[in-house]
Amino acid sequence: MINAPRGTQDILSAQSKLWSLIEKTAEKVFAQAGFNEIRTPIFEDTNLFLRAVGEASDIVNKEMYTFLDKSERSLTLRPEGTAGVVRAFIENHLEHTGKPIKLWYRGPMFRYERPQTGRYRQFHQIGLEAIGSASPHIDLEVINSGMQLLDSLKLTNLTLYINSLGNKNSRTNYINALQQFLFAIKDKVCDDCKRRMEVNPLRCLDCKVEHDQNLYKQAPKIHEFYDEESKNIFEIIKSGLEKLSIKYHVDENLVRGLDYYDHCVFEIKCDSDVLGAQSTVLGGGRYDKLIEDLGGNPNPAVGFALGLERLALLIGENQLAEEKKTFIISDDSSEALLLAKKLRNELDLNVEFDYENSKFKKQLEKALKRNFDQVIFFLESERQAGTFGLKKLKSNQEFKELDFKRLCELLLE
Ligand code: HAM
C-alpha cells in the first residue's frame, strides 16, 4: 500500500466544502476591493526564488523542493506566491494596464518543513498583491481586505501584529547596530542564531529559543533608527488602522521569514488550541524593491498570504450551512434521472437517486443512512397516476398523491 507523501493530505468532501466556502468568500471580498484573480505556474525557475525570497532565508536554505527536469533546468515547486506574481507582472507588462495592479491568487505551495498540526509540506495559500503604489493607504486597503475576509468567515480571537522595517537606509543603520550587539553575545546564543547574525541578523529577533529571546530584550530597537520618511509612513498606517477600528499591536520583533520586505510588515495570529504552535494565519507586508530586483521597472508593492489549512482548522466543519438533500426512490433509474434533472434545474436542489434499481427497502435505508432530508416516492404506481409521494425524514411528515407544483412547494419548505 502506497501512502500520501509525508506532509501532504487528501482533502475529503467535508473539508472540500469548507475550502470552497473560504475561497468563495475570498473571491467576493477581494472583488469588492477591486482585486482580480491571477493563476501562475506551480513550478518556476529556481533562480526566481533565490533572488526573491533571499538566499539567506530558511525557505531557500532548507525548504525548497528543487529538481532538474529532463533538459537539466533547475526548477522549484513554488514555496510561496509573491515571487511568481511579480514575475508574471514583469513578463506580461502588466504595469501598462493601469497602476496599481491589484491581484489575488490561491493554490498549493511547497516547503520541506517538519510537518505538524497546521504545518504541511504541501499547503495552500490565498494571497493578494497590490503593485505600483507606495501609498500607505494601499497598505491599509490590503490589511483591511485580510481582516474583512477573516471577519466574513466569523473568525474571532484574532490579533493583528504590525511592525515597520523602515526604508533601506534606516534598516541598514539598524542592522549594523544590531549586528554589533549580536556579535558581542555570539557565544551565548543558539547555533542557528550564530549563523543568522552573519547572513541575516534581523532573523535572530524571531528566534524561538527562550534563552536567546531573553538576551535579545536588550537589543537596539528598530524604531530608534527610522528616518523621517519611515516614521511618517508608519504613523499614517497606525492612525489609518485606528480610523478603521482595526485593533493592532506593534511587535518590534516581527521581521518575517522572507527577505523582500521593507516598511510595514504584519501578521494575524489566532489564539486557539486547534492550531497548536502554528498560530499565524496570515502574513505579509510591503516589498518596494523586489520588482526592480527581479528585473522590472521600479514598482513599490504590498501584499499578504494566508494559510487555507489553518483557516479551515479554525472554522471547523460544523460552521458549514447544511445543504438540503433530496433522494428519489424509484423502480426505474432512467425515470429517476429525468426527474432529478428537472428538479435540479428548476429548483436548484441537490437531488440524488439509486443507480442499481435496488429494492424499495434498500433505497430507503440508503437515504436514511446518508442523512438525506427528504425522499420522493416515484414508483410505477405514482408515474401512472402522474403524482408523487414525499417524506420529510427529519420530521417524519408524509405526503401522498401530490401534483408536480405542490411537490415543488413542499420540497423547498
Ligand atoms: P508566509 O508568512 O511565509 O508569507 O506565509 C503566509 C501564510 O501561509 C502563513 O501565515 C501560514 O498561514 C501559511 N503557511 C506558511 N507555511 C505553511 C506550512 N508549511 N503549512 C501550512 N501553512 C503554511 C508568504 O508566503 C508571503 N508570500 C506573503 C506575502 C504576500 N507577502 C507579501 N505578499
Side-chain angles (χ1 to χ4, degrees):
M1 151 92 192
I2 299 172
N3 293 324
R6 187 165 142 76
T8 69
Q9 45 180 355
D10 300 312
I11 306 303
L12 305 178
S13 342
Q15 274 291 302
S16 239
K17 281 187 190 152
L18 187 52
W19 285 35
S20 283
L21 171 80
I22 297 172
E23 289 182 351
K24 278 191 195 129
T25 312
E27 264 171 40
K28 187 165 163 226
V29 170
F30 296 165
Q32 282 176 339
F35 286 82
N36 294 313
E37 190 172 2
I38 182 169
R39 297 180 196 237
T40 64
I42 284 175
F43 58 83
E44 298 267 3
D45 187 322
T46 301
N47 286 318
L48 177 69
F49 301 114
L50 299 187
R51 280 165 65 183
V53 179
E55 300 200 39
S57 67
D58 280 354
I59 295 182
V60 166
N61 264 304
K62 309 186 200 158
E63 297 169 5
M64 294 213 303
Y65 280 90
T66 298
F67 57 97
L68 291 180
D69 72 2
K70 292 190 193 310
S71 307
E72 304 275 305
R73 289 184 199 95
S74 178
L75 299 171
T76 294
L77 296 183
R78 61 183 184 193
E80 58 101 54
T82 310
V85 170
V86 167
R87 183 207 40 72
F89 170 84
I90 301 170
E91 194 169 336
N92 296 289
H93 309 289
L94 295 187
E95 68 182 311
H96 302 310
T97 57
K99 291 197 271 191
I101 301 292
K102 298 193 286 181
L103 302 167
W104 75 276
Y105 54 90
R106 56 179 137 190
M109 310 289 159
F110 306 84
R111 297 184 193 174
Y112 190 79
E113 294 196 83
R114 197 166 48 79
Q116 54 179 249
T117 306
R119 189 163 75 192
Y120 312 97
R121 291 184 173 169
Q122 174 174 323
F123 61 98
H124 296 73
Q125 284 186 341
I126 295 181
L128 55 78
E129 315 289 349
I131 308 178
S133 168
S135 164
H137 297 289
I138 205 152
D139 298 54
L140 287 163
E141 172 83 297
V142 164
I143 297 175
N144 187 53
S145 298
M147 292 302 287
Q148 196 76 42
L149 171 58
L150 299 174
D151 278 353
S152 305
L153 292 167
K154 302 194 176 53
L155 285 169
T156 51
N157 295 341
L158 298 172
T159 314
L160 168 67
Y161 294 90
I162 60 170
N163 190 19
S164 171
L165 303 179
N167 57 17
K168 189 141 192 233
N169 215 5
S170 310
R171 204 163 50 255
T172 309
N173 292 337
Y174 176 59
I175 288 174
N176 287 339
L178 180 65
Q179 214 163 20
Q180 270 183 26
F181 167 85
L182 292 169
F183 284 161
I185 55 166
K186 188 168 184 174
D187 37 349
K188 297 192 186 135
V189 300
C190 71
D191 286 345
D192 271 341
C193 279
K194 285 192 178 81
R195 185 183 56 83
R196 287 180 188 132
M197 68 178 69
E198 300 285 348
V199 292
N200 193 351
L202 283 178
R203 296 287 296 154
C204 290
L205 296 178
D206 69 356
C207 172
K208 301 288 174 287
V209 179
E210 206 181 323
H211 168 263
D212 292 15
Q213 267 310 326
N214 284 333
L215 290 172
Y216 299 150
K217 282 186 185 143
Q218 305 304 321
K221 299 281 176 269
I222 194 160
H223 73 262
E224 295 158 7
F225 293 79
Y226 293 154
D227 60 11
E228 269 317 289
E229 184 201 47
S230 304
K231 212 183 291 175
N232 286 343
I233 289 179
F234 200 32
E235 282 310 316
I236 294 174
I237 291 177
K238 286 191 284 186
S239 63
L241 288 173
E242 280 151 31
K243 207 164 174 180
L244 288 165
S245 306
I246 298 179
K247 290 204 183 76
Y248 65 87
H249 293 274
V250 176
D251 173 1
E252 289 209 88
N253 288 345
L254 176 60
V255 291
R256 309 273 302 130
L258 304 99
D259 286 355
Y260 46 60
Y261 293 110
D262 34 20
H263 288 292
C264 185
V265 288
F266 50 90
E267 283 184 354
I268 298 177
K269 296 190 193 238
C270 185
D271 177 17
S272 158
D273 292 342
V274 295
L275 287 185
Q278 305 306 313
S279 58
T280 308
V281 180
L282 176 156
R286 179 160 277 285
Y287 51 97
D288 285 348
K289 297 286 172 290
L290 180 62
I291 290 130
E292 246 175 303
D293 290 347
L294 291 177
N297 295 322
N299 270 299
V302 54
F304 71 70
L306 57 81
L308 208 46
E309 284 81 357
R310 292 186 194 177
L311 266 195
L313 277 169
L314 285 175
I315 298 172
E317 284 158 24
N318 49 6
Q319 278 206 26
L320 283 173
E322 274 293 310
E323 260 177 293
K324 197 182 249 185
K325 297 196 303 174
T326 306
F327 193 85
I328 300 172
I329 294 186
S330 175
D331 46 9
D332 184 330
S333 301
S334 65
E335 288 292 331
L337 173 56
L338 217 59
L339 177 60
K341 181 177 170 181
K342 199 165 172 190
L343 293 172
R344 288 171 191 156
N345 287 342
E346 291 183 19
L347 305 185
D348 199 18
L349 274 185
N350 172 334
V351 188
E352 293 185 56
F353 59 94
D354 177 66
Y355 304 109
E356 324 289 342
N357 286 330
S358 317
K359 295 245 158 41
F360 177 89
K361 203 170 149 231
K362 207 167 163 200
Q363 292 193 38
L364 188 58
E365 276 167 11
K366 192 187 264 183
L368 284 166
K369 194 167 159 208
R370 291 189 39 214
N371 247 338
F372 279 83
D373 297 279
Q374 45 197 2
V375 170
I376 300 172
F377 301 108
F378 192 46
L379 299 145
E380 196 181 358
S381 49
E382 275 96 9
R383 286 201 302 281
Q384 275 189 357
T387 61
F388 304 86
L390 176 68
K391 185 164 183 176
K392 301 260 183 190
L393 295 178
K394 305 269 146 84
S395 61
N396 244 343
Q397 282 173 289
E398 197 160 345
F399 306 88
K400 290 190 174 140
E401 296 175 9
L402 301 169
D403 61 17
F404 186 68
K405 186 165 168 272
R406 184 67 189 134
L407 172 74
C408 291
E409 284 165 5
L410 287 169
L411 284 173
L412 292 175
E413 264 177 18

